[in-house]
Amino acid sequence: MKIIILGAGQVGTTLAANLVSEDNDITLVDNEAERLLALQDKHDLRVVNGIASSPRVLREAGAADADLVVAVTNSDETNMIACQVAYTLFNTPTKIARIRSTDYLREKNKLFQSDVIPIDHIISPEKLVTDEIVRLIDYPGALQVSHFAEGRISIVVVKAYYGGPLVGYALSMLKEHLPHIDCRVVSILRQDKVIRPQGSTIIEAGDEVTFICATIHIKAIMSELQRLEKPYKRIMIIGGGNVGSGVAKRLEEQCSVKLIERNPERATALAERLSKTLVFCGDASDQSLLFEEHIENIDVFLSLTSDDEANIMAALLAKRLGAKKAMVLIQRMAYINLLQGGTLDIVVSPQQATISALLGHIRKGDVGNVVSLRHGIAEALEIVVHGEANSSHIIGRKISEIKLPTGVIIGAILRGEDVMVARKGLVIEENDRIVVYVSDKKYIPEVEKLFQPSAFFI
């Protein structure tokens, strides 16, 4: 596939790195020449220096025969104009744009049409991150929760702790503990080493376990790996930007929410907009303010400003002063592995959320959803099966008969209204919605090929 990525910021470069190893022809466009040269030395891709929305630059990047344009510059307006130019001058088939401004997003149904602003898919990082944070609040103790198949199937990452009934026992005991609940454990991360789970695998305290199940069973399975935490009720948010205010708006009906915003004008506006959230104008590093607002009683402290260092320091201070959990928004990928699971409990990455959403539109075949796992190394995909038994590698075959690439696991299937956790004897049918776990993204091309119907398949 020939893909033009506009913008060599963190999202653009991470997306390019994800796609360049998958037999794609990638061209990266940015107006900073030094950054492009460094990326060209590191990855097998073309670079074009210039303004992303310029017809000349897009022509030089190969828009005339590109399959896809992904506009992820820091400017919503540049992204929109670039898609317009790609459509009008080059008739580019698919155009994806990152749009951040809530003003545009409110009017998206009217604005983003082929006869107005021709964008096929919109990616809003703030909304994606807000959704992710709310899911983590809904499932206390989880490190990552992602929904598939209209929310019926989920993939969950959770750490095992002493006190969980399954800790210290073989994975096969899970069926004895929960005889009426199906679950597929697809990966275990132990001391930074990936273990492919088997029935005889002993679950140890500290293991990071990834499992797939029907969404309604998430908490029951989590309760086997750790003592279930009580629902989070007292939330403190630092930062009243789009993410912070969006999370407060979503949570204020079910939780007691306090929000601290440094800017007086912004704090005043938020106080008027948020009906049940208590808004303060102040500094998150002010210990006296945190003590006055009883930081020791806070269930989750959310650091959601646009400054990574400020978020980290505020969360460390809150934890030291007694906050039970700290969740931190981190932009820089280099910080994520350093922080996750240490003093700070959960790290949320806008880049990973955005990459996941973008990959859902880029993967070949009828892909409904893609989630990046283990900070971009692994992926989970929801794939709708099409074709007939004589034109498909998988339809009409038992899962045990399908030649899956190494490290690829069929986790669960939605068939009509029924969720079925994958078992060896289960036969794949047309229109099944299958959730596939891929332990290493280098196997993605093989997975795409496996699920695509072929007229020449016998």
Side-chain angles (χ1 to χ4, degrees):
M1 183 180 289
K2 186 168 184 178
I3 301 171
I4 300 174
I5 300 174
L6 307 176
Q10 293 192 31
V11 170
T13 54
T14 305
L15 181 63
N18 270 268
L19 296 175
V20 77
S21 60
E22 299 175 13
D23 198 27
N24 292 299
D25 180 1
I26 305 296
T27 301
L28 192 57
V29 176
D30 198 87
N31 57 2
E32 292 192 21
E34 290 184 9
R35 180 185 295 175
L36 289 177
L37 289 174
L39 290 168
Q40 191 174 34
D41 290 340
K42 188 176 181 181
H43 301 292
D44 181 19
L45 47 75
R46 286 184 65 232
V47 297
V48 174
N49 180 228
I51 302 300
S53 57
S54 161
R56 177 189 60 79
V57 171
L58 286 169
R59 184 176 286 108
E60 186 180 344
D65 60 350
D67 299 300
L68 172 66
V69 166
V70 183
V72 288
T73 75
N74 289 326
S75 166
D76 288 353
E77 290 75 17
T78 299
N79 294 339
M80 289 188 286
I81 294 299
C83 289
Q84 180 74 68
V85 173
Y87 173 80
T88 304
L89 296 185
F90 308 109
N91 199 28
T92 305
T94 306
K95 301 155 292 297
I96 301 173
R98 177 172 65 174
I99 303 295
R100 287 173 163 170
S101 171
T102 53
D103 286 345
Y104 294 129
L105 293 173
R106 284 192 203 100
E107 308 292 342
K108 65 180 181 179
N109 292 333
K110 295 179 180 178
L111 284 176
F112 304 119
Q113 304 289 336
S114 58
D115 57 345
V116 187
I117 302 175
I119 298 174
D120 300 294
H121 306 290
I122 296 168
I123 304 296
S124 171
E126 284 80 3
K127 183 182 184 305
L128 294 169
V129 171
T130 299
D131 290 344
E132 182 175 350
I133 292 170
V134 171
R135 283 196 300 270
L136 290 168
I137 296 295
D138 287 340
Y139 295 96
L143 298 176
Q144 187 170 354
V145 179
S146 300
H147 298 321
F148 299 87
E150 298 174 354
R152 304 286 297 279
I153 298 172
S154 293
I155 188 162
V156 181
V157 182
V158 64
K159 185 164 280 190
Y161 292 111
Y162 288 114
L166 195 62
V167 176
Y169 293 90
L171 195 54
S172 58
M173 293 293 291
L174 182 60
K175 190 62 181 175
E176 293 185 28
H177 293 182
L178 301 171
H180 304 297
I181 294 177
D182 270 343
C183 164
R184 184 75 188 267
V185 175
V186 294
S187 175
I188 297 173
L189 186 65
R190 180 178 296 164
Q191 296 177 353
D192 295 326
K193 292 183 179 179
V194 178
I195 297 172
R196 189 168 183 179
Q198 299 177 352
S200 59
T201 303
I202 305 296
I203 299 296
E204 298 182 4
D207 285 354
E208 196 172 288
V209 180
T210 303
F211 64 85
I212 297 176
C213 67
T215 301
I216 59 173
H217 298 318
I218 290 176
K219 290 185 179 179
I221 297 162
M222 285 180 61
S223 70
E224 287 291 309
L225 298 166
Q226 57 179 240
R227 288 195 183 97
L228 276 187
E229 299 180 29
K230 293 180 180 178
Y232 299 143
K233 289 299 181 184
R234 293 176 292 274
I235 311 292
M236 182 175 285
I237 299 172
I238 304 304
N242 289 337
V243 175
S245 60
V247 171
K249 188 70 175 175
R250 295 273 296 275
L251 295 179
E252 64 179 0
E253 294 296 332
Q254 66 194 67
C255 301
S256 170
V257 181
K258 296 178 180 180
L259 187 152
I260 300 176
E261 165 58 39
R262 182 192 293 265
N263 184 290
E265 292 180 3
R266 178 67 177 168
T268 300
L270 288 172
E272 295 173 356
R273 179 181 157 200
L274 298 168
S275 58
K276 295 185 178 180
T277 298
L278 196 56
V279 179
F280 299 89
C281 181
D283 190 333
S285 63
D286 183 351
Q287 294 192 39
S288 61
L289 174 59
L290 297 180
F291 276 128
E292 286 173 11
E293 295 311 316
H294 302 289
I295 187 66
E296 72 279 4
N297 294 328
I298 294 298
D299 294 322
V300 186
F301 182 91
L302 303 174
S303 273
L304 305 179
T305 76
S306 58
D307 185 321
D308 285 356
E309 288 78 10
N311 286 343
I312 293 167
M313 295 308 294
L316 289 172
L317 176 61
K319 287 281 286 186
R320 187 170 69 83
L321 297 180
K324 296 177 181 65
K325 286 252 178 171
M327 194 182 302
V328 185
L329 190 68
I330 295 293
Q331 307 281 345
R332 298 183 191 178
M333 295 300 296
Y335 286 171
I336 293 174
N337 289 332
L338 184 66
L339 295 170
Q340 178 80 58
T343 306
L344 304 180
D345 303 286
I346 301 175
V347 175
V348 177
S349 165
Q351 276 69 34
Q352 284 302 316
T354 305
I355 294 300
S356 294
L358 287 167
L359 291 176
H361 300 302
I362 291 171
R363 294 290 179 228
K364 297 173 184 175
D366 190 352
V367 176
N369 192 13
V370 173
V371 172
S372 181
L373 298 158
R374 287 177 42 225
H375 312 310
I377 298 172
E379 277 187 25
L381 304 89
E382 175 192 341
I383 305 174
V384 182
V385 180
H386 295 294
E388 299 175 350
N390 61 359
S391 66
S392 170
H393 297 273
I394 61 171
I395 292 176
R397 288 163 175 76
K398 296 177 182 179
I399 289 177
S400 60
E401 297 171 343
I402 299 171
K403 295 180 180 179
L404 294 170
T406 304
V408 175
I409 298 172
I410 293 178
I413 296 171
L414 180 68
R415 181 175 295 163
E417 297 295 316
D418 298 325
V419 174
M420 297 174 284
V421 172
R423 299 299 173 204
K424 291 182 179 180
L426 185 62
V427 177
I428 304 298
E429 297 181 4
E430 186 181 3
N431 295 322
D432 280 352
R433 298 173 72 167
I434 301 180
V435 178
V436 181
Y437 174 81
V438 184
S439 63
D440 192 317
K441 63 178 184 286
K442 69 183 180 183
Y443 300 119
I444 291 292
E446 293 180 61
V447 173
E448 291 175 329
K449 185 177 180 181
L450 180 67
F451 279 83
Q452 284 180 339
S454 171
F456 305 103
F457 179 71
I458 300 176

